[in-house]
Amino acid sequence: MSDPCETAIDLLVECSKLDRAGRDSATFYTQRVQPALEAAAATDRDVDLFAEADRRYGQWLIDNAGRR
C-alpha cells in the first residue's frame, strides 16, 4: 500500500508541472490532487504537504534547467 502523504506530494508536484507547461490543471487538481490531500489528512501525520511539494518542484526545476 502506498503512503497517502507521498502520493499527495507527488500529485501536487505534477500539478505544478502542468501549470508550468501552460496546461489546464484545474480538472487534474479536483479529480486527483484534492482526493489525495483528503486521504493524506486522514492519516493525522504532521507533514506540510505543500511545503514539501514546493521543495520537490523547485528541485525538479533546478535539475531540468535548460532542458526542453
Side-chain angles (χ1 to χ4, degrees), residues 22-34:
R23 297 178 55 199
D24 178 29
S25 61
T27 302
F28 181 81
Y29 188 88
T30 56
Q31 291 180 352
R32 306 269 323 267
V33 178
Q34 199 164 20

Side-chain angles (χ1 to χ4, degrees), residues 5-60:
C5 293
E6 285 296 318
T7 299
I9 291 167
D10 291 342
L11 290 171
L12 282 167
V13 172
E14 275 307 306
C15 194
S16 293
K17 290 177 184 179
L18 288 173
D19 283 340
R20 180 169 175 77
R23 297 178 55 199
D24 178 29
S25 61
T27 302
F28 181 81
Y29 188 88
T30 56
Q31 291 180 352
R32 306 269 323 267
V33 178
Q34 199 164 20
L37 290 172
E38 291 167 2
T43 66
D44 289 329
R45 287 181 43 206
D46 186 23
V47 178
D48 188 340
L49 302 172
F50 292 94
E52 181 60 23
D54 286 346
R55 188 194 67 73
R56 291 185 191 182
Y57 177 64
Q59 188 60 53
W60 178 82

